[in-house]
Amino acid sequence: MKYYLVIIFICTGLFIPLAQGTPPQDLSAVYREHARPLSATSDLTPLISAAKDKRLVLLGESSHGTREFYTWRTEISRRLIETGGVSFIAVEGDWISLARLNRYIRHEPWTLASARHALMIPNRWPRWMWANEEFVEFAEWLRAFNSARSPENRVSLYGIDIFSPWEAMDAVLDWYHSHHPDQFDRITDHYATFAAFRDDPHGYARAVEAMDDQERGVAKALRNTIALWQNSQDSTRQAAFFAKQSAHVVLAAEEYYRTMGQSASLAWNTRATHMHETVGRLLAVSGTESKGIVWAHNTHIGDARATSMVQRGMHNIGQLSRQQLGEDNVFLVGFTTGQGTVLASRQWGGSRESMRIPSPPNDSFEAVLKTLAMGDALLIFPPSDALPPVLQHTIGHRAIGVIYQPEQDHRQYVPTTPARRYNALLYVDNSTALTPLHEKE
């Protein structure tokens, strides 16, 4: 059973206890000073002005199944792309499965007929995260935007997560078979131990406890692929980069499954580090002046140091990006909701359903935002080095994953200092569930 706890922990946003400071008496007044109504796309202008020159803009969500989070992220991304300089969108999805969509968006040869077609193919649960009508609309807009641009200036879309390592392994082996057939058998041998657990990754987690600590084959395969990429010619460099990144996915996934039985925090950090480093590689390969946008859950994009995650020794993309690129080059945008409906499942791998999100508890950040009585709202916080004391309190902040039980909603709040966790936040007062492409999950 312990091998499943990491996944449940990561995907549900379970409450992590933290001693909270004494908040101001009237939090509504504190946040009202930094909030403005959000009803039209033009209301995003202050956010776009603050974020448009940043190297990296990270857009969050407090659930994986809320329509408005996708539609507002689409509007923000569109406006940032139209201001110029954005090279890619990186999302909390699989590298291999979203590669099909990326080829379609970029007008590359051998693509599928539509974004809908590309998103219907992946079969890993939960499919609704990206196979939904809202994301299809954004993908089609990206393709239309790219149609008037030269290939080197087209905006790409990538998955940066570690899951589906077996498909990534197949991609690496296919590349060796096509480009370096003399090394194919050796790389196949490097992958043999991990490949044997293709249908049972949790069995791998149990098996590695008895393995010695010698260098693993997946690491050797990655090192070899990196060397070949570094020596590749311009005509084959793109394919070599794809193979190299696929090899990174295999290694990170192997590390994730190898550590998940030891420590939830260690497994989380393995995944978070991989996603952060993938974004870094995308920025590097896109050029020194490139910009990127990341779509992921708030628990990934909000600075972990401003949450109780830090008490568990956990980090995330938002924290690592600020530390590596500098706070002046990163803009973090959180998203949350007061109530409404959400698409989620009651158990891992279970059927999806549209669930009712109850009103938040009185001592939560969301309850404070509801008392603003302005409906949907945009909050933009002062720079972290200029935060007044009244914005440095800790409060519970909603976090719903792909697994959700509304009757346990009170457990879905992470102690947070919002103005340190984010640069800005979008609040949806009454949100609605995503519209999935598949009839059933």
Side-chain angles (χ1 to χ4, degrees), residues 149-180:
R149 300 168 70 86
S150 59
E152 63 272 16
N153 290 317
R154 290 171 184 163
V155 179
S156 301
L157 188 146
Y158 301 104
I160 58 172
D161 216 333
I162 63 170
F163 300 116
S164 297
W166 322 113
E167 290 80 356
M169 187 184 299
D170 291 342
V172 175
L173 293 173
D174 287 346
W175 180 76
Y176 272 96
H177 188 268
S178 299
H179 294 83
H180 300 280

PDB file of all heavy atoms in Angstrom, residues 149-180:
ATOM      1  N   ARG A 149       3.818  32.379 -39.310  1.00  0.00           N
ATOM      2  CA  ARG A 149       5.187  32.552 -38.812  1.00  0.00           C
ATOM      3  C   ARG A 149       6.124  31.531 -39.443  1.00  0.00           C
ATOM      4  O   ARG A 149       5.695  30.420 -39.802  1.00  0.00           O
ATOM      5  CB  ARG A 149       5.210  32.423 -37.277  1.00  0.00           C
ATOM      6  CG  ARG A 149       4.337  33.472 -36.595  1.00  0.00           C
ATOM      7  CD  ARG A 149       4.141  33.167 -35.119  1.00  0.00           C
ATOM      8  NE  ARG A 149       5.352  33.361 -34.348  1.00  0.00           N
ATOM      9  CZ  ARG A 149       5.746  34.506 -33.829  1.00  0.00           C
ATOM     10  NH1 ARG A 149       5.018  35.598 -34.019  1.00  0.00           N
ATOM     11  NH2 ARG A 149       6.843  34.591 -33.113  1.00  0.00           N
ATOM     12  N   SER A 150       7.391  31.892 -39.543  1.00  0.00           N
ATOM     13  CA  SER A 150       8.389  30.971 -40.073  1.00  0.00           C
ATOM     14  C   SER A 150       8.603  29.844 -39.073  1.00  0.00           C
ATOM     15  O   SER A 150       8.366  30.020 -37.864  1.00  0.00           O
ATOM     16  CB  SER A 150       9.704  31.703 -40.320  1.00  0.00           C
ATOM     17  OG  SER A 150      10.193  32.273 -39.109  1.00  0.00           O
ATOM     18  N   PRO A 151       9.054  28.666 -39.522  1.00  0.00           N
ATOM     19  CA  PRO A 151       9.206  27.514 -38.616  1.00  0.00           C
ATOM     20  C   PRO A 151      10.021  27.810 -37.369  1.00  0.00           C
ATOM     21  O   PRO A 151       9.674  27.364 -36.266  1.00  0.00           O
ATOM     22  CB  PRO A 151       9.876  26.470 -39.500  1.00  0.00           C
ATOM     23  CG  PRO A 151       9.404  26.796 -40.874  1.00  0.00           C
ATOM     24  CD  PRO A 151       9.334  28.300 -40.917  1.00  0.00           C
ATOM     25  N   GLU A 152      11.091  28.584 -37.520  1.00  0.00           N
ATOM     26  CA  GLU A 152      11.939  28.842 -36.358  1.00  0.00           C
ATOM     27  C   GLU A 152      11.303  29.799 -35.360  1.00  0.00           C
ATOM     28  O   GLU A 152      11.768  29.928 -34.216  1.00  0.00           O
ATOM     29  CB  GLU A 152      13.304  29.387 -36.798  1.00  0.00           C
ATOM     30  CG  GLU A 152      13.261  30.727 -37.506  1.00  0.00           C
ATOM     31  CD  GLU A 152      13.051  30.608 -39.006  1.00  0.00           C
ATOM     32  OE1 GLU A 152      12.639  29.515 -39.469  1.00  0.00           O
ATOM     33  OE2 GLU A 152      13.285  31.613 -39.708  1.00  0.00           O
ATOM     34  N   ASN A 153      10.243  30.482 -35.755  1.00  0.00           N
ATOM     35  CA  ASN A 153       9.575  31.433 -34.858  1.00  0.00           C
ATOM     36  C   ASN A 153       8.209  30.961 -34.387  1.00  0.00           C
ATOM     37  O   ASN A 153       7.465  31.731 -33.778  1.00  0.00           O
ATOM     38  CB  ASN A 153       9.430  32.787 -35.567  1.00  0.00           C
ATOM     39  CG  ASN A 153      10.756  33.486 -35.760  1.00  0.00           C
ATOM     40  OD1 ASN A 153      11.589  33.504 -34.863  1.00  0.00           O
ATOM     41  ND2 ASN A 153      10.970  34.052 -36.942  1.00  0.00           N
ATOM     42  N   ARG A 154       7.877  29.722 -34.648  1.00  0.00           N
ATOM     43  CA  ARG A 154       6.595  29.197 -34.198  1.00  0.00           C
ATOM     44  C   ARG A 154       6.634  28.836 -32.718  1.00  0.00           C
ATOM     45  O   ARG A 154       7.655  28.380 -32.207  1.00  0.00           O
ATOM     46  CB  ARG A 154       6.202  27.985 -35.034  1.00  0.00           C
ATOM     47  CG  ARG A 154       5.843  28.356 -36.473  1.00  0.00           C
ATOM     48  CD  ARG A 154       5.666  27.153 -37.363  1.00  0.00           C
ATOM     49  NE  ARG A 154       5.412  27.578 -38.746  1.00  0.00           N
ATOM     50  CZ  ARG A 154       5.526  26.793 -39.803  1.00  0.00           C
ATOM     51  NH1 ARG A 154       5.871  25.516 -39.652  1.00  0.00           N
ATOM     52  NH2 ARG A 154       5.296  27.272 -41.008  1.00  0.00           N
ATOM     53  N   VAL A 155       5.515  29.029 -32.049  1.00  0.00           N
ATOM     54  CA  VAL A 155       5.400  28.699 -30.628  1.00  0.00           C
ATOM     55  C   VAL A 155       5.128  27.208 -30.492  1.00  0.00           C
ATOM     56  O   VAL A 155       4.257  26.661 -31.169  1.00  0.00           O
ATOM     57  CB  VAL A 155       4.279  29.514 -29.969  1.00  0.00           C
ATOM     58  CG1 VAL A 155       4.155  29.152 -28.486  1.00  0.00           C
ATOM     59  CG2 VAL A 155       4.524  31.009 -30.140  1.00  0.00           C
ATOM     60  N   SER A 156       5.868  26.556 -29.598  1.00  0.00           N
ATOM     61  CA  SER A 156       5.728  25.119 -29.379  1.00  0.00           C
ATOM     62  C   SER A 156       4.942  24.839 -28.103  1.00  0.00           C
ATOM     63  O   SER A 156       4.762  25.731 -27.257  1.00  0.00           O
ATOM     64  CB  SER A 156       7.107  24.456 -29.282  1.00  0.00           C
ATOM     65  OG  SER A 156       7.864  24.670 -30.455  1.00  0.00           O
ATOM     66  N   LEU A 157       4.497  23.612 -27.962  1.00  0.00           N
ATOM     67  CA  LEU A 157       3.809  23.176 -26.742  1.00  0.00           C
ATOM     68  C   LEU A 157       4.379  21.820 -26.324  1.00  0.00           C
ATOM     69  O   LEU A 157       4.415  20.881 -27.122  1.00  0.00           O
ATOM     70  CB  LEU A 157       2.305  23.070 -26.967  1.00  0.00           C
ATOM     71  CG  LEU A 157       1.473  22.801 -25.713  1.00  0.00           C
ATOM     72  CD1 LEU A 157       0.124  23.507 -25.800  1.00  0.00           C
ATOM     73  CD2 LEU A 157       1.246  21.308 -25.482  1.00  0.00           C
ATOM     74  N   TYR A 158       4.839  21.735 -25.074  1.00  0.00           N
ATOM     75  CA  TYR A 158       5.510  20.532 -24.598  1.00  0.00           C
ATOM     76  C   TYR A 158       4.903  20.028 -23.286  1.00  0.00           C
ATOM     77  O   TYR A 158       4.439  20.823 -22.462  1.00  0.00           O
ATOM     78  CB  TYR A 158       6.999  20.805 -24.342  1.00  0.00           C
ATOM     79  CG  TYR A 158       7.781  21.280 -25.535  1.00  0.00           C
ATOM     80  CD1 TYR A 158       8.154  22.621 -25.665  1.00  0.00           C
ATOM     81  CD2 TYR A 158       8.168  20.394 -26.540  1.00  0.00           C
ATOM     82  CE1 TYR A 158       8.889  23.067 -26.748  1.00  0.00           C
ATOM     83  CE2 TYR A 158       8.915  20.827 -27.635  1.00  0.00           C
ATOM     84  CZ  TYR A 158       9.258  22.160 -27.734  1.00  0.00           C
ATOM     85  OH  TYR A 158       9.987  22.594 -28.824  1.00  0.00           O
ATOM     86  N   GLY A 159       4.960  18.731 -23.078  1.00  0.00           N
ATOM     87  CA  GLY A 159       4.656  18.141 -21.784  1.00  0.00           C
ATOM     88  C   GLY A 159       5.953  17.990 -21.008  1.00  0.00           C
ATOM     89  O   GLY A 159       6.975  17.587 -21.565  1.00  0.00           O
ATOM     90  N   ILE A 160       5.927  18.303 -19.716  1.00  0.00           N
ATOM     91  CA  ILE A 160       7.163  18.302 -18.930  1.00  0.00           C
ATOM     92  C   ILE A 160       7.138  17.320 -17.770  1.00  0.00           C
ATOM     93  O   ILE A 160       8.054  17.308 -16.943  1.00  0.00           O
ATOM     94  CB  ILE A 160       7.470  19.714 -18.390  1.00  0.00           C
ATOM     95  CG1 ILE A 160       6.313  20.237 -17.518  1.00  0.00           C
ATOM     96  CG2 ILE A 160       7.757  20.667 -19.541  1.00  0.00           C
ATOM     97  CD1 ILE A 160       6.618  21.541 -16.803  1.00  0.00           C
ATOM     98  N   ASP A 161       6.118  16.455 -17.712  1.00  0.00           N
ATOM     99  CA  ASP A 161       5.986  15.554 -16.576  1.00  0.00           C
ATOM    100  C   ASP A 161       6.761  14.254 -16.819  1.00  0.00           C
ATOM    101  O   ASP A 161       7.264  14.005 -17.922  1.00  0.00           O
ATOM    102  CB  ASP A 161       4.519  15.256 -16.293  1.00  0.00           C
ATOM    103  CG  ASP A 161       4.221  15.127 -14.812  1.00  0.00           C
ATOM    104  OD1 ASP A 161       5.146  14.765 -14.053  1.00  0.00           O
ATOM    105  OD2 ASP A 161       3.070  15.371 -14.403  1.00  0.00           O
ATOM    106  N   ILE A 162       6.826  13.405 -15.801  1.00  0.00           N
ATOM    107  CA  ILE A 162       7.657  12.200 -15.863  1.00  0.00           C
ATOM    108  C   ILE A 162       6.884  10.939 -16.218  1.00  0.00           C
ATOM    109  O   ILE A 162       7.486   9.880 -16.417  1.00  0.00           O
ATOM    110  CB  ILE A 162       8.357  11.942 -14.510  1.00  0.00           C
ATOM    111  CG1 ILE A 162       7.318  11.664 -13.411  1.00  0.00           C
ATOM    112  CG2 ILE A 162       9.242  13.100 -14.134  1.00  0.00           C
ATOM    113  CD1 ILE A 162       7.910  11.167 -12.117  1.00  0.00           C
ATOM    114  N   PHE A 163       5.565  11.031 -16.292  1.00  0.00           N
ATOM    115  CA  PHE A 163       4.782   9.820 -16.470  1.00  0.00           C
ATOM    116  C   PHE A 163       4.814   9.336 -17.927  1.00  0.00           C
ATOM    117  O   PHE A 163       5.267  10.047 -18.813  1.00  0.00           O
ATOM    118  CB  PHE A 163       3.368  10.023 -15.951  1.00  0.00           C
ATOM    119  CG  PHE A 163       3.346  10.369 -14.475  1.00  0.00           C
ATOM    120  CD1 PHE A 163       2.880  11.597 -14.038  1.00  0.00           C
ATOM    121  CD2 PHE A 163       3.853   9.483 -13.538  1.00  0.00           C
ATOM    122  CE1 PHE A 163       2.890  11.925 -12.690  1.00  0.00           C
ATOM    123  CE2 PHE A 163       3.874   9.795 -12.187  1.00  0.00           C
ATOM    124  CZ  PHE A 163       3.396  11.012 -11.761  1.00  0.00           C
ATOM    125  N   SER A 164       4.377   8.114 -18.167  1.00  0.00           N
ATOM    126  CA  SER A 164       4.503   7.426 -19.459  1.00  0.00           C
ATOM    127  C   SER A 164       5.971   7.229 -19.854  1.00  0.00           C
ATOM    128  O   SER A 164       6.368   7.505 -20.984  1.00  0.00           O
ATOM    129  CB  SER A 164       3.758   8.186 -20.564  1.00  0.00           C
ATOM    130  OG  SER A 164       2.384   8.237 -20.295  1.00  0.00           O
ATOM    131  N   PRO A 165       6.806   6.727 -18.933  1.00  0.00           N
ATOM    132  CA  PRO A 165       8.219   6.525 -19.265  1.00  0.00           C
ATOM    133  C   PRO A 165       8.434   5.441 -20.306  1.00  0.00           C
ATOM    134  O   PRO A 165       9.442   5.452 -21.017  1.00  0.00           O
ATOM    135  CB  PRO A 165       8.846   6.136 -17.923  1.00  0.00           C
ATOM    136  CG  PRO A 165       7.716   5.502 -17.160  1.00  0.00           C
ATOM    137  CD  PRO A 165       6.497   6.296 -17.553  1.00  0.00           C
ATOM    138  N   TRP A 166       7.495   4.493 -20.414  1.00  0.00           N
ATOM    139  CA  TRP A 166       7.686   3.398 -21.355  1.00  0.00           C
ATOM    140  C   TRP A 166       7.588   3.918 -22.796  1.00  0.00           C
ATOM    141  O   TRP A 166       8.356   3.494 -23.666  1.00  0.00           O
ATOM    142  CB  TRP A 166       6.649   2.309 -21.099  1.00  0.00           C
ATOM    143  CG  TRP A 166       6.390   2.128 -19.636  1.00  0.00           C
ATOM    144  CD1 TRP A 166       5.232   2.400 -18.961  1.00  0.00           C
ATOM    145  CD2 TRP A 166       7.336   1.699 -18.640  1.00  0.00           C
ATOM    146  NE1 TRP A 166       5.386   2.149 -17.618  1.00  0.00           N
ATOM    147  CE2 TRP A 166       6.656   1.721 -17.388  1.00  0.00           C
ATOM    148  CE3 TRP A 166       8.668   1.305 -18.683  1.00  0.00           C
ATOM    149  CZ2 TRP A 166       7.287   1.358 -16.207  1.00  0.00           C
ATOM    150  CZ3 TRP A 166       9.295   0.943 -17.500  1.00  0.00           C
ATOM    151  CH2 TRP A 166       8.601   0.973 -16.280  1.00  0.00           C
ATOM    152  N   GLU A 167       6.668   4.856 -23.044  1.00  0.00           N
ATOM    153  CA  GLU A 167       6.580   5.472 -24.357  1.00  0.00           C
ATOM    154  C   GLU A 167       7.838   6.288 -24.644  1.00  0.00           C
ATOM    155  O   GLU A 167       8.316   6.338 -25.777  1.00  0.00           O
ATOM    156  CB  GLU A 167       5.338   6.348 -24.457  1.00  0.00           C
ATOM    157  CG  GLU A 167       4.024   5.575 -24.485  1.00  0.00           C
ATOM    158  CD  GLU A 167       3.542   5.122 -23.110  1.00  0.00           C
ATOM    159  OE1 GLU A 167       4.277   5.337 -22.115  1.00  0.00           O
ATOM    160  OE2 GLU A 167       2.433   4.573 -23.012  1.00  0.00           O
ATOM    161  N   ALA A 168       8.366   6.957 -23.609  1.00  0.00           N
ATOM    162  CA  ALA A 168       9.617   7.702 -23.779  1.00  0.00           C
ATOM    163  C   ALA A 168      10.776   6.752 -24.091  1.00  0.00           C
ATOM    164  O   ALA A 168      11.634   7.048 -24.929  1.00  0.00           O
ATOM    165  CB  ALA A 168       9.909   8.511 -22.513  1.00  0.00           C
ATOM    166  N   MET A 169      10.796   5.608 -23.426  1.00  0.00           N
ATOM    167  CA  MET A 169      11.824   4.607 -23.693  1.00  0.00           C
ATOM    168  C   MET A 169      11.734   4.127 -25.140  1.00  0.00           C
ATOM    169  O   MET A 169      12.753   3.985 -25.838  1.00  0.00           O
ATOM    170  CB  MET A 169      11.666   3.430 -22.721  1.00  0.00           C
ATOM    171  CG  MET A 169      12.777   2.400 -22.785  1.00  0.00           C
ATOM    172  SD  MET A 169      12.441   0.982 -21.696  1.00  0.00           S
ATOM    173  CE  MET A 169      12.358   1.785 -20.091  1.00  0.00           C
ATOM    174  N   ASP A 170      10.515   3.877 -25.605  1.00  0.00           N
ATOM    175  CA  ASP A 170      10.324   3.458 -27.001  1.00  0.00           C
ATOM    176  C   ASP A 170      10.853   4.518 -27.961  1.00  0.00           C
ATOM    177  O   ASP A 170      11.448   4.200 -28.994  1.00  0.00           O
ATOM    178  CB  ASP A 170       8.843   3.205 -27.277  1.00  0.00           C
ATOM    179  CG  ASP A 170       8.304   1.969 -26.562  1.00  0.00           C
ATOM    180  OD1 ASP A 170       9.126   1.124 -26.143  1.00  0.00           O
ATOM    181  OD2 ASP A 170       7.072   1.866 -26.421  1.00  0.00           O
ATOM    182  N   ALA A 171      10.623   5.795 -27.634  1.00  0.00           N
ATOM    183  CA  ALA A 171      11.085   6.877 -28.500  1.00  0.00           C
ATOM    184  C   ALA A 171      12.610   6.912 -28.573  1.00  0.00           C
ATOM    185  O   ALA A 171      13.188   7.142 -29.645  1.00  0.00           O
ATOM    186  CB  ALA A 171      10.549   8.217 -27.995  1.00  0.00           C
ATOM    187  N   VAL A 172      13.271   6.690 -27.440  1.00  0.00           N
ATOM    188  CA  VAL A 172      14.735   6.652 -27.429  1.00  0.00           C
ATOM    189  C   VAL A 172      15.237   5.502 -28.292  1.00  0.00           C
ATOM    190  O   VAL A 172      16.138   5.673 -29.133  1.00  0.00           O
ATOM    191  CB  VAL A 172      15.271   6.513 -25.992  1.00  0.00           C
ATOM    192  CG1 VAL A 172      16.793   6.362 -26.001  1.00  0.00           C
ATOM    193  CG2 VAL A 172      14.869   7.718 -25.142  1.00  0.00           C
ATOM    194  N   LEU A 173      14.648   4.328 -28.098  1.00  0.00           N
ATOM    195  CA  LEU A 173      15.087   3.154 -28.861  1.00  0.00           C
ATOM    196  C   LEU A 173      14.799   3.316 -30.353  1.00  0.00           C
ATOM    197  O   LEU A 173      15.608   2.905 -31.194  1.00  0.00           O
ATOM    198  CB  LEU A 173      14.424   1.894 -28.309  1.00  0.00           C
ATOM    199  CG  LEU A 173      14.863   1.495 -26.892  1.00  0.00           C
ATOM    200  CD1 LEU A 173      14.033   0.332 -26.379  1.00  0.00           C
ATOM    201  CD2 LEU A 173      16.349   1.139 -26.866  1.00  0.00           C
ATOM    202  N   ASP A 174      13.679   3.916 -30.691  1.00  0.00           N
ATOM    203  CA  ASP A 174      13.370   4.166 -32.102  1.00  0.00           C
ATOM    204  C   ASP A 174      14.413   5.083 -32.724  1.00  0.00           C
ATOM    205  O   ASP A 174      14.818   4.897 -33.886  1.00  0.00           O
ATOM    206  CB  ASP A 174      11.973   4.796 -32.246  1.00  0.00           C
ATOM    207  CG  ASP A 174      10.860   3.802 -31.998  1.00  0.00           C
ATOM    208  OD1 ASP A 174      11.133   2.587 -31.974  1.00  0.00           O
ATOM    209  OD2 ASP A 174       9.704   4.252 -31.801  1.00  0.00           O
ATOM    210  N   TRP A 175      14.834   6.081 -31.966  1.00  0.00           N
ATOM    211  CA  TRP A 175      15.847   7.016 -32.478  1.00  0.00           C
ATOM    212  C   TRP A 175      17.182   6.304 -32.694  1.00  0.00           C
ATOM    213  O   TRP A 175      17.839   6.523 -33.719  1.00  0.00           O
ATOM    214  CB  TRP A 175      16.004   8.177 -31.503  1.00  0.00           C
ATOM    215  CG  TRP A 175      17.023   9.194 -31.928  1.00  0.00           C
ATOM    216  CD1 TRP A 175      16.879  10.143 -32.894  1.00  0.00           C
ATOM    217  CD2 TRP A 175      18.335   9.358 -31.379  1.00  0.00           C
ATOM    218  NE1 TRP A 175      18.026  10.907 -32.994  1.00  0.00           N
ATOM    219  CE2 TRP A 175      18.933  10.435 -32.076  1.00  0.00           C
ATOM    220  CE3 TRP A 175      19.050   8.710 -30.381  1.00  0.00           C
ATOM    221  CZ2 TRP A 175      20.225  10.880 -31.788  1.00  0.00           C
ATOM    222  CZ3 TRP A 175      20.329   9.148 -30.103  1.00  0.00           C
ATOM    223  CH2 TRP A 175      20.911  10.214 -30.797  1.00  0.00           C
ATOM    224  N   TYR A 176      17.564   5.479 -31.744  1.00  0.00           N
ATOM    225  CA  TYR A 176      18.806   4.724 -31.927  1.00  0.00           C
ATOM    226  C   TYR A 176      18.689   3.795 -33.128  1.00  0.00           C
ATOM    227  O   TYR A 176      19.639   3.654 -33.922  1.00  0.00           O
ATOM    228  CB  TYR A 176      19.140   3.917 -30.670  1.00  0.00           C
ATOM    229  CG  TYR A 176      19.952   4.698 -29.665  1.00  0.00           C
ATOM    230  CD1 TYR A 176      19.341   5.356 -28.608  1.00  0.00           C
ATOM    231  CD2 TYR A 176      21.333   4.773 -29.779  1.00  0.00           C
ATOM    232  CE1 TYR A 176      20.080   6.078 -27.686  1.00  0.00           C
ATOM    233  CE2 TYR A 176      22.091   5.489 -28.853  1.00  0.00           C
ATOM    234  CZ  TYR A 176      21.454   6.150 -27.819  1.00  0.00           C
ATOM    235  OH  TYR A 176      22.198   6.871 -26.918  1.00  0.00           O
ATOM    236  N   HIS A 177      17.563   3.156 -33.279  1.00  0.00           N
ATOM    237  CA  HIS A 177      17.378   2.223 -34.400  1.00  0.00           C
ATOM    238  C   HIS A 177      17.511   2.952 -35.740  1.00  0.00           C
ATOM    239  O   HIS A 177      18.093   2.409 -36.698  1.00  0.00           O
ATOM    240  CB  HIS A 177      16.006   1.565 -34.296  1.00  0.00           C
ATOM    241  CG  HIS A 177      15.782   0.468 -35.281  1.00  0.00           C
ATOM    242  ND1 HIS A 177      15.199   0.692 -36.527  1.00  0.00           N
ATOM    243  CD2 HIS A 177      16.057  -0.862 -35.230  1.00  0.00           C
ATOM    244  CE1 HIS A 177      15.138  -0.445 -37.186  1.00  0.00           C
ATOM    245  NE2 HIS A 177      15.647  -1.411 -36.425  1.00  0.00           N
ATOM    246  N   SER A 178      17.018   4.202 -35.794  1.00  0.00           N
ATOM    247  CA  SER A 178      17.051   4.956 -37.045  1.00  0.00           C
ATOM    248  C   SER A 178      18.372   5.681 -37.279  1.00  0.00           C
ATOM    249  O   SER A 178      18.841   5.779 -38.423  1.00  0.00           O
ATOM    250  CB  SER A 178      15.910   5.985 -37.068  1.00  0.00           C
ATOM    251  OG  SER A 178      14.659   5.358 -36.991  1.00  0.00           O
ATOM    252  N   HIS A 179      18.974   6.190 -36.209  1.00  0.00           N
ATOM    253  CA  HIS A 179      20.134   7.056 -36.371  1.00  0.00           C
ATOM    254  C   HIS A 179      21.457   6.439 -35.923  1.00  0.00           C
ATOM    255  O   HIS A 179      22.516   6.830 -36.427  1.00  0.00           O
ATOM    256  CB  HIS A 179      19.911   8.367 -35.607  1.00  0.00           C
ATOM    257  CG  HIS A 179      18.810   9.215 -36.158  1.00  0.00           C
ATOM    258  ND1 HIS A 179      17.488   9.001 -35.837  1.00  0.00           N
ATOM    259  CD2 HIS A 179      18.821  10.268 -37.014  1.00  0.00           C
ATOM    260  CE1 HIS A 179      16.729   9.903 -36.454  1.00  0.00           C
ATOM    261  NE2 HIS A 179      17.520  10.674 -37.183  1.00  0.00           N
ATOM    262  N   HIS A 180      21.411   5.506 -34.989  1.00  0.00           N
ATOM    263  CA  HIS A 180      22.635   4.880 -34.485  1.00  0.00           C
ATOM    264  C   HIS A 180      22.394   3.391 -34.270  1.00  0.00           C
ATOM    265  O   HIS A 180      22.467   2.896 -33.132  1.00  0.00           O
ATOM    266  CB  HIS A 180      23.072   5.549 -33.173  1.00  0.00           C
ATOM    267  CG  HIS A 180      23.349   7.015 -33.313  1.00  0.00           C
ATOM    268  ND1 HIS A 180      24.528   7.508 -33.831  1.00  0.00           N
ATOM    269  CD2 HIS A 180      22.568   8.088 -33.023  1.00  0.00           C
ATOM    270  CE1 HIS A 180      24.478   8.834 -33.840  1.00  0.00           C
ATOM    271  NE2 HIS A 180      23.303   9.204 -33.360  1.00  0.00           N
TER     272      HIS A 180
END
